[in-house]
Amino acid sequence: PTPPIEFAHGTTTISFVFQGGIVAAVDSRASIGNFVGSKTTQKVLPVSRNILGTMAGGAADCSFWIRLLRSEAKLHELVHDGRGISVARASRILSNVLYQNRGLDLSVGTMIMGYHHLDGFSIYYVDNTGVRIKGDMFAVGSGSTFAQGILDTEERRFDMSEEEAVALGIRAIRHATLRDAMSGGYIGVYLITKDGWRKVFSDDLASITN
């Protein structure tokens, strides 16, 4: 029989908490082995008006399960008189469904992050084995070690301003794309505050010189 075709996946996605909320930064390259499949992949997907999910791994797997989570979040709002789902509950739903399907050889490494009035700002890492980890900072993907080297410096402080936090996210993704061949395209930066999430930066990596 013909052996299965296994393509290497690559990306760089990061997120961290600071005093003003959460910053999520991603690249936009989708790779199929050594071939660049897309330079404009959307790697941040909305779950609700206060929660975002990132994609690392197989693009089809990540987008399918995060969109399923979005429908669960919407159902929660309908059942509970418009009250939004918490980040903890959303991440637990995704973790449970991925654990139940762990034998399907899925490729998912996502960060579910957002704000809830009871829990504040929180980030959970969830992957295809059903692992669910809460933390203040995560870097996921083939370029994550390079991005983490930037995030582990003294520049990352809890008392950063929004401008400083966004600039740090841009620098971390750019540094990773310089060293990781699987990462590239555009840098997208999202900011989550108590009022919800918004995209605050998007630019072609080739046009960023500093």
Side-chain angles (χ1 to χ4, degrees):
T2 304
I5 299 175
E6 296 185 2
F7 291 118
H9 303 295
T11 188
T12 305
T13 61
I14 66 165
S15 65
F16 57 88
V17 178
F18 72 107
Q19 57 85 19
I22 297 173
V23 164
V26 298
D27 74 318
S28 68
R29 176 174 293 176
S31 53
I32 309 172
N34 294 324
F35 177 75
V36 177
S38 173
K39 295 185 289 185
T40 56
T41 303
Q42 180 68 27
K43 296 186 180 179
V44 175
L45 299 176
V47 175
S48 71
R49 58 182 176 271
N50 291 308
I51 301 175
L52 293 173
T54 61
M55 295 199 318
D61 291 343
C62 291
S63 60
F64 176 84
W65 293 109
I66 293 176
R67 284 167 181 158
L68 180 70
L69 180 60
R70 186 193 306 172
S71 67
E72 291 289 337
K74 187 62 178 177
L75 181 62
H76 182 279
E77 290 185 14
L78 294 172
V79 171
H80 294 87
D81 299 322
R83 293 196 299 273
I85 192 171
S86 68
V87 186
R89 184 179 179 90
S91 62
R92 174 59 71 187
I93 290 172
L94 182 60
S95 172
N96 286 345
V97 73
L98 288 174
Y99 181 78
Q100 292 166 8
N101 292 278
R102 63 192 183 281
L104 298 182
D105 199 27
L106 300 173
S107 178
V108 177
T110 182
M111 295 174 285
I112 304 298
M113 68 199 81
Y115 174 78
H116 189 259
H117 67 282
L118 295 178
D119 305 323
F121 297 102
S122 51
I123 308 171
Y124 290 85
Y125 168 76
V126 180
D127 71 15
N128 47 268
T129 66
V131 162
R132 174 177 173 269
I133 304 169
K134 185 179 182 180
D136 293 330
M137 177 192 72
F138 288 103
V140 185
S142 57
S144 61
T145 53
F146 306 112
Q148 190 113 27
I150 298 298
L151 296 177
D152 281 339
T153 64
E154 294 180 357
E155 289 188 35
R156 185 176 65 88
R157 312 179 317 276
F158 182 74
D159 62 350
M160 287 185 293
S161 66
E162 287 187 4
E163 292 77 14
E164 289 173 324
V166 170
L168 181 60
I170 295 170
R171 184 168 175 238
I173 296 296
R174 174 162 170 74
H175 185 75
T177 58
L178 291 174
R179 294 293 182 182
D180 177 40
M182 299 290 188
S183 301
Y186 285 74
I187 295 179
V189 183
Y190 294 75
L191 180 65
I192 302 174
T193 66
K194 294 180 180 179
D195 298 323
W197 61 267
R198 68 183 191 272
K199 191 172 187 176
V200 294
F201 182 86
S202 179
D203 202 356
D204 189 343
L205 278 156
S207 68
I208 302 174
T209 58
N210 51 24

